[in-house]
Amino acid sequence: MRYRVARAADLPEQVGWCVEVEGRELALFRQGERVYALDNVCPHRGAALAWGEVRGGGVYCPLHAWPFEVETGRCPEFPGVAVDAYPVTIEGGDVFVEL
């Protein structure tokens, strides 16, 4: 199912943004014209990834700096560790996430 979650213009670039969709917290990240959506919970200790530091193509968990690629949700430092990444589209300035 597809959900409207934000206006692209309202999302600050290189800063995480938290939204709730169907009881699930998602972290949104805008990089240029693209927006990415990940599960907001770090699998290590449950920290909110939306509050992590965004650098390059990744977000670093605010508790222990585990890195996650915003495009894929993979953790390059720990193979096999990832958070779910969701397809995002932008239409007419609105951001939609597919769950």
Side-chain angles (χ1 to χ4, degrees):
M1 181 144 271
R2 189 170 168 237
Y3 300 91
R4 182 193 174 281
V5 294
R7 295 275 308 154
D10 293 340
L11 298 175
E13 191 161 352
Q14 297 293 333
V15 176
W17 191 266
C18 182
V19 297
E20 187 174 323
V21 178
E22 294 291 319
R24 180 179 303 181
E25 279 192 14
L26 303 179
L28 303 180
F29 303 97
R30 184 170 72 87
Q31 295 186 324
E33 299 300 314
R34 306 257 345 237
V35 176
Y36 302 97
L38 302 176
D39 270 335
N40 192 37
V41 179
C42 177
H44 177 229
R45 296 285 176 145
L49 292 178
W51 311 135
E53 181 181 346
V54 180
R55 289 193 312 243
V59 59
Y60 292 78
C61 175
L63 285 183
H64 297 104
W66 281 30
F68 295 89
E69 297 171 352
V70 295
E71 189 171 352
T72 65
R74 290 182 298 166
C75 181
E77 286 187 17
F78 301 98
V81 175
V83 294
D84 288 334
Y86 301 94
V88 175
T89 55
I90 301 173
E91 294 176 15
D94 290 327
V95 178
F96 294 89
V97 174
E98 190 169 328
L99 297 183

